[in-house]
Amino acid sequence: MASIPLLIGLRYTRAKRRNHFISFISLTSMLGMTLGVAVLILVLSVMNGFDRELRQRILGMVPHLAIKNYQDFSSWESVAESLGERPGVAGVAPFVNGQGMLMHRGNHRGALVSGILPEWEPQVSIIGEHLEGTQLDALQPGDYGIIIGDLLARFLRVQAGDQVTLLLPEASITPAGVFPRLKRFTVLGTFKVGAELDGNLAYVHLQDMQTLMRTGDSIEGLRLRLDDLFQAPRMARELVNELGHPYRGQDWTQTQGNLFQAIQMEKRMIGLLLLIIVAVAAFNIVSTLVMVVTDKQADIAILRTLGASPATIMGIFMVQGLTIGVFGTIVGVGLGILLALNVSDLVLWIEGLFGIQFLDASVYFISYLPSELRFDDVRFITLAALSLSLLSTLYPAWRASRIQPADALRYD
């Protein structure tokens, strides 16, 4: 008796109905569920891909954690050595930053100029992997060479070998009066990471920046790269407590956190909107089952006369509705995973076929459509689709269980 709802429900699903409109609505519900689940998996995977690219590019250039000393930081080597030996710290490098304006033949642009040591910087930054026309070793103390972002170079209309003037907001007092601090640099090359940093960041040698900022042998702070960037706030608190005054910590969530929070919020909102599409497809099952119940009233009355309980009748139509939902979900999950794993190649094929480019490298930070399939997203989407399918079967199945045999067979 326990298998009767399953057997009859599956039989109703396979049977060719006399009412073709019911069959059409069932097929539409199944296709809607399939497309909704597939699109939801695909879109969330693409957003995961963009999130990964931004994290690797921006947080590859921005320090996960910076330890600063606003007094004298001349003996930074010993501090850097102790921090580098700490578990969870993957790299340490010194820096001196300065906000200024770069100028070239009437073109000017504000920029953050970072003084670095070429032999230390690769420990904390991916800058060495994105250089064009030069190497970090080209930064030599006293030569006043500068490496600028690709977008910044286009703003200033400069190329390797040109000279740019750096204007710092600090004033210099001379016998002739007070003048802003100026220094001419030679452009050694550019870098391109495909992010906003390309338009407002430049690198010079640490000693050149110390000379300009008049800090002597002192540095502004130490950049740290962590094994797990999400541990940066906790590590910042622990390191500052150990080092004590006058050290201060600044992690990436304070400088770039808003950007990644916005990406996560956008992912949630788009996921919610697409989940509504899945819900609409799931609740099409309601209309399908309502029409099936109306069409099968005589069968329901006969089953009740033979001794079937209301729970058995309810189970029959729940099985029929869940069959539509489960089949649509399984096909949708398979299609979504297939598209998510191959969307980059598929977009490249479409671009080549029609001679178009969806993501222009001169406009966007990447020229391809990234995708990262995550099991947690697939699991959530599958459970949500199945849950919505189950909820959609409850009302029609309950209505079927309330049908009285005498009323159903009165005119048959």
Side-chain angles (χ1 to χ4, degrees):
M1 292 296 294
S3 63
I4 287 179
L6 180 63
L7 295 175
I8 299 179
L10 292 176
R11 183 179 179 84
Y12 278 173
T13 304
R14 295 193 305 268
K16 294 182 179 180
R17 299 183 181 89
R18 290 168 297 176
N19 191 334
H20 295 289
F21 183 69
I22 297 177
S23 300
F24 174 74
I25 294 298
S26 300
L27 180 61
T28 302
S29 301
M30 191 177 298
L31 290 177
M33 181 70 69
T34 298
L35 292 177
V37 170
V39 169
L40 186 53
I41 292 175
L42 175 61
V43 171
L44 291 185
S45 297
V46 170
M47 295 202 68
N48 291 335
F50 276 106
D51 179 64
R52 178 197 63 205
E53 292 294 325
L54 281 173
R55 185 183 299 116
Q56 289 178 350
R57 293 169 184 262
I58 294 180
L59 294 184
M61 298 287 289
V62 176
H64 297 170
L65 173 60
I67 300 297
K68 298 182 178 181
N69 186 330
Y70 292 101
Q71 295 183 8
D72 181 56
F73 206 171
S74 301
S75 58
W76 57 268
E77 291 91 344
S78 59
V79 179
E81 184 179 356
S82 64
L83 292 178
E85 296 174 351
R86 186 181 179 89
V89 177
V92 184
F95 71 94
V96 175
N97 286 342
Q99 291 281 355
M101 181 178 294
L102 291 172
M103 299 178 292
H104 174 74
R105 295 181 180 178
N107 302 306
H108 54 274
R109 179 84 173 181
L112 173 66
V113 182
S114 182
I116 62 171
L117 286 178
E119 61 272 20
W120 288 64
E121 191 65 17
Q123 298 183 42
V124 298
S125 173
I126 61 172
I127 177 64
E129 303 170 10
H130 297 274
L131 292 175
E132 298 178 351
T134 188
Q135 298 293 329
L136 275 182
D137 295 340
L139 292 175
Q140 295 295 325
D143 289 349
Y144 291 97
I146 188 170
I147 299 174
I148 63 178
D150 175 74
L151 189 58
L152 182 56
R154 281 188 281 167
F155 277 126
L156 298 176
R157 297 182 181 178
V158 298
Q159 56 186 354
D162 292 339
Q163 291 189 328
V164 295
T165 302
L166 173 61
L167 170 64
L168 295 175
E170 288 82 3
S172 299
I173 301 176
T174 69
V178 178
F179 291 92
R181 199 173 303 169
L182 300 170
K183 186 60 184 177
R184 184 162 293 183
F185 286 83
T186 301
V187 177
L188 302 176
T190 62
F191 65 85
K192 183 178 181 181
V193 295
E196 185 182 2
L197 298 173
D198 290 345
N200 55 27
L201 183 61
Y203 290 97
V204 300
H205 196 276
L206 180 70
Q207 292 185 20
D208 294 343
M209 202 62 192
Q210 287 173 328
T211 302
L212 284 176
M213 301 299 292
R214 298 179 180 176
T215 61
D217 294 331
S218 181
I219 63 171
E220 182 179 342
L222 294 169
R223 292 192 182 103
L224 277 70
R225 183 167 64 89
L226 306 179
D227 294 329
D228 184 0
L229 61 90
F230 294 104
Q231 296 297 320
R234 179 186 62 82
M235 290 284 289
R237 291 191 299 269
E238 292 180 359
L239 293 177
V240 170
N241 289 335
E242 291 180 9
L243 294 172
H245 182 78
Y247 292 95
R248 295 182 60 184
Q250 185 180 50
D251 63 86
W252 68 271
T253 61
Q254 297 172 291
T255 58
Q256 305 292 332
N258 291 336
L259 173 63
F260 290 93
Q261 288 176 4
I263 294 174
Q264 293 299 321
M265 178 62 70
E266 185 178 358
K267 177 185 174 182
R268 294 190 188 100
M269 294 306 297
I270 292 180
L272 178 61
L273 292 175
L274 292 176
L275 190 60
I276 293 175
I277 298 177
V278 177
V280 171
F283 282 105
N284 280 339
I285 298 174
V286 176
S287 58
T288 301
L289 290 184
V290 167
M291 288 186 288
V292 171
V293 169
T294 303
D295 188 55
K296 298 292 185 181
Q297 285 193 16
D299 294 0
I300 295 171
I302 293 173
L303 289 171
R304 290 296 307 277
T305 303
L306 293 174
S309 66
T312 301
I313 301 299
M314 189 172 180
I316 291 171
F317 291 96
M318 287 182 66
V319 167
Q320 186 177 1
L322 278 174
T323 301
I324 297 174
V326 169
F327 185 79
T329 300
I330 292 175
V331 176
V333 168
L335 181 61
I337 292 175
L338 183 65
L339 289 174
L341 294 176
N342 298 280
V343 65
S344 299
D345 296 333
L346 180 62
V347 170
L348 287 175
W349 178 77
I350 294 175
E351 290 178 344
L353 182 65
F354 294 99
I356 58 176
Q357 188 173 11
F358 293 109
L359 297 176
D360 189 352
S362 63
V363 178
Y364 302 98
F365 69 94
I366 53 177
S367 57
Y368 68 98
L369 196 66
S371 177
E372 181 182 356
L373 184 65
R374 295 180 182 174
F375 175 74
D376 289 343
D377 290 338
V378 176
R379 180 177 59 185
F380 169 76
I381 294 168
T382 303
L383 292 177
L386 294 177
S387 299
L388 290 172
S389 300
L390 176 61
L391 290 174
S392 300
T393 64
L394 295 179
Y395 172 71
W398 175 79
R399 250 185 89 174
S401 69
R402 304 293 295 176
I403 293 177
Q404 299 298 323
D407 295 334
L409 298 174
R410 180 175 299 169
Y411 301 106
D412 290 345

